[in-house]
Amino acid sequence: ATSSVWLDGSSTTSSFDPTTGGGGHHGDVYTNGQLKMTGAPRIDGDVTAATVLRDPSSVITGTVQTPLTRATFMAAALPTGIRDLRAIVATSGATTTITGPGSFKASSVTVNNGASLRIDNSAGPVTIYVTGAVGVSGGGSIKVADPNPEKFAVYVLGTSAVTLSDAGTFYGVVYAPTSAITLTGGGLFTGAFVGKSLSVSNGANVRYDQTLRGR
């Protein structure tokens, strides 16, 4: 995150090695600003932050260092000529399916009340460019046919919030460099997340997929 990262309660970061199916110690956290750890969260990886404020019960297994230079992230840009899905809404137990491969535009993404947004990326990658907010709540979930995080990505343009709450198991990349990202509830979020700020709370587990860096 460009400005701050907050981990609360029993939330965790770790990594996943798809070649072995086992866990790893690359749940790294980076921020140009402050990393705050309250309660008993665990970072199984390295930390790079301008400042670190942490409760005694928090755990960082790797190294802690300050950024040598301030990182910048490219703004998310909307490609021309892609299909416009307008507002994507799944609610009240319904299932909405997006079939790839392809890139799509959406004004917002809303999944709630036990509904599911199904991403059929079995034939190739699916990328959604969102100009507004992304919100998953109330037992809603985003499910992919192929869990390879290189085959599903959400790019958020502008400053609208991204909230994945009780999202079950999420596989993919969220790139929202000017947005606040909130991951909360007991879900497992596998992939990578870039935002202006990042909050991980209420037992959320963030797992970096090492596929994204070639190992």
Side-chain angles (χ1 to χ4, degrees):
T2 55
S3 66
S4 64
V5 174
W6 174 49
L7 277 77
D8 182 52
S10 59
S11 57
T12 67
T13 72
S14 61
S15 62
F16 172 70
D17 185 345
T19 61
T20 65
H25 307 286
H26 300 288
D28 302 341
V29 173
Y30 179 96
T31 178
N32 290 324
Q34 183 185 81
L35 166 66
K36 185 177 181 180
M37 302 176 71
T38 54
R42 178 185 177 91
I43 294 175
D44 195 357
D46 298 332
V47 166
T48 304
T51 59
V52 177
L53 179 65
R54 52 186 293 206
D55 284 352
S57 54
S58 64
V59 175
I60 299 173
T61 65
T63 62
V64 179
Q65 61 182 351
T66 56
L68 296 178
T69 58
R70 185 177 178 87
T72 58
F73 299 95
M74 294 188 304
L78 181 67
T80 59
I82 64 175
R83 182 181 171 189
D84 189 351
L85 302 177
R86 304 185 183 276
I88 299 173
V89 179
T91 188
S92 300
T95 297
T96 298
T97 301
I98 297 174
T99 302
S103 295
F104 305 90
K105 175 185 176 182
S107 58
S108 61
V109 176
T110 304
V111 186
N112 58 32
N113 294 333
S116 176
L117 174 61
R118 184 175 184 274
I119 307 299
D120 186 355
N121 57 351
S122 55
V126 171
T127 303
I128 303 175
Y129 293 85
V130 186
T131 57
V134 177
V136 179
S137 62
S141 62
I142 297 177
K143 300 179 179 180
V144 295
D146 187 336
N148 182 345
E150 293 185 321
K151 295 183 69 175
F152 178 54
V154 177
Y155 286 78
V156 180
L157 292 70
T159 60
S160 296
V162 177
T163 303
L164 304 181
S165 175
D166 303 322
T169 302
F170 175 93
Y171 292 91
V173 172
V174 175
Y175 187 81
T178 53
S179 298
I181 299 177
T182 300
L183 308 178
T184 186
L188 175 61
F189 304 90
T190 300
F193 303 87
V194 176
K196 181 178 180 180
S197 64
L198 174 64
S199 299
V200 185
S201 63
N202 293 334
N205 301 292
V206 180
R207 188 173 66 170
Y208 175 68
D209 192 315
Q210 294 173 215
T211 300
L212 296 168
R213 64 177 181 183
R215 63 186 179 94

